[in-house]
Amino acid sequence: MSNAGARSSLDLHTLECFDTLVREGSVSRAADRMGMSQSSASEVLARLRDRFSDPLLVRTREGMVPTRRAQDLLPRVRTAIEQLRGLQDGADRFDPLSAQEQFRITTSDYMQLLLMPRLAGIVRTQAPRCTLDIVPIPIQRTELALETAEIDLTIAYHPQPPAGLRRSPLLRDRLVFIARRDHPEMEKGVDAAQFANLPQVSVAPSGLNYFGSLVDSALAAQGLQRRIAFTSPQFMLSAHLVSHSDMVLSLPRLAAIALAELFPVQVIELPFTTRPIDIALYWHERAHHAPAHLWLRDTVRAALPPGTEVMVH
């Protein structure tokens, strides 16, 4: 292949292949993510190696790893991808009043309680022909679901944010706990040891006990361990159980306040300190410059209740 021919191959698709190949460190996985055959992905890699006069990916005992040249090129390639996508998307304009977009969001019922009443109202007013769908995707699948455009946006607490997604901080919350209003143990207050001995409901969306782990870590530092009596994937069901029992539930403060308006429960400060809960927006690179998606992300921020500790992005 001539040098001129190799240079002409650096279009958006080829750059996206470079990004995916280096990120995945596997031709077969990159082919799956790009919706290509393995032979086609191998051909692109061969052209890229010729274009940059470098193997880009080399085989080791741990599998394929990027060369130093590939690592150096990767930030510039990603910048070029953004710029090219911006040129493509720049021709489009999003008019909320006339748009007929279907926005698909996945998030826990915690954030649904907090955001959806206001968000649905804004969308109905500003974009009356658009649809807002809450899609039940397990948090373990959200990165793939965003990459394949199964969903448009994730609103979540990720202790270890996926490296392959765009991320923007949304809000900061902290843990409290709820108990039924006439709970006999709450009249005099409880210390950490008394709290740990109370029967507990634990909420674990998608089977992952992210919030409970913050409580467990804080208690473990004092040599204490909770007594879990019931585990549920949903805050609504958990609050309902708490309101009809002597069990208590640790949860984010904003969710607790919302649930206290629906169930006869009281919101109580934890007798120990836990790490804060940082909620963020996550989306795929392909949606980064899309006008409709820019509007959606801005609208989610506008739907935050007054008094929310908003994170700067």
Side-chain angles (χ1 to χ4, degrees):
M1 179 181 294
S2 69
N3 192 52
R7 289 184 181 276
S8 67
S9 67
L10 283 182
D11 54 15
L12 177 58
H13 174 70
T14 304
L15 292 173
E16 288 176 332
C17 288
F18 178 99
D19 178 49
T20 306
L21 284 161
V22 173
R23 182 149 47 93
E24 289 296 326
S26 165
V27 173
S28 60
R29 289 199 303 269
D32 287 342
R33 287 188 180 274
M34 294 293 294
M36 306 166 61
S37 67
Q38 187 168 339
S39 61
S40 296
S42 296
E43 290 174 5
V44 174
L45 178 58
R47 293 201 304 270
L48 286 166
R49 283 170 165 167
D50 183 64
R51 170 63 178 80
F52 293 112
S53 303
D54 187 89
L56 300 177
L57 291 172
V58 294
R59 192 174 301 281
T60 68
R61 291 181 181 179
E62 289 75 31
M64 299 288 282
V65 299
T67 63
R68 179 61 181 270
R69 173 73 165 149
Q71 293 173 334
D72 290 343
L73 285 168
L74 189 58
R76 294 158 58 190
V77 167
R78 288 179 173 168
T79 298
I81 290 171
E82 288 184 25
Q83 292 173 342
L84 288 170
R85 285 176 176 164
L87 287 173
Q88 292 180 351
D89 295 336
D92 301 323
R93 294 292 179 266
F94 180 70
D95 178 13
L97 283 174
S98 61
Q100 300 184 50
E101 293 281 341
Q102 179 187 29
F103 295 117
R104 294 153 299 182
I105 299 174
T106 187
T107 190
S108 69
D109 63 332
Y110 155 39
M111 292 308 300
Q112 292 175 42
L113 282 167
L114 185 65
L115 283 174
M116 293 308 145
R118 289 171 58 88
L119 182 59
I122 294 173
V123 171
R124 283 183 59 82
T125 300
Q126 297 185 11
R129 303 175 71 182
C130 290
T131 303
L132 189 64
D133 292 344
I134 304 301
V135 183
I137 301 290
I139 196 167
Q140 303 96 317
R141 283 195 59 242
T142 54
E143 184 173 6
L144 178 60
L146 288 165
E147 288 180 352
T148 58
E150 184 179 355
I151 56 175
D152 302 307
L153 187 68
T154 295
I155 309 170
Y157 166 65
H158 270 293
Q160 297 179 323
L165 297 178
R166 284 277 184 169
R167 175 183 182 275
S168 178
L170 180 64
L171 64 91
R172 170 163 286 182
D173 207 348
R174 59 185 171 83
L175 288 177
V176 296
F177 76 99
I178 59 173
R180 63 182 173 91
R181 289 177 184 168
D182 57 348
H183 196 296
E185 301 295 327
M186 299 302 119
E187 294 182 5
K188 297 181 180 180
V190 295
D191 60 21
Q194 291 168 327
F195 172 85
N197 285 328
L198 290 169
Q200 310 253 340
V201 178
S202 180
V203 175
S206 304
L208 300 176
N209 193 15
Y210 285 164
F211 298 133
S213 65
L214 298 178
V215 174
D216 293 335
S217 296
L219 288 173
Q222 301 184 46
L224 300 170
Q225 185 175 358
R226 289 190 299 164
R227 182 158 63 92
I228 304 298
F230 190 89
T231 300
S232 166
Q234 296 180 334
F235 287 101
M236 287 284 285
L237 172 59
S238 300
H240 181 64
L241 290 171
V242 166
S243 70
H244 289 82
S245 71
D246 286 339
M247 294 187 290
V248 299
L249 167 65
S250 302
L251 72 172
R253 174 178 171 273
L254 296 172
I257 292 171
L259 289 167
E261 296 179 357
L262 302 174
F263 299 97
V265 296
Q266 53 183 314
V267 180
I268 307 166
E269 295 291 335
L270 287 168
F272 47 85
T273 301
T274 60
R275 295 195 302 275
I277 299 167
D278 291 336
I279 305 294
L281 305 178
Y282 296 88
W283 64 95
H284 192 263
E285 186 69 36
R286 67 167 56 86
H288 185 57
H289 294 286
H293 291 261
L294 289 168
W295 179 87
L296 175 62
R297 297 195 294 269
D298 288 342
T299 303
V300 168
R301 293 185 175 281
L304 289 172
T308 302
E309 185 178 350
V310 180
M311 301 291 287
V312 177
H313 67 292

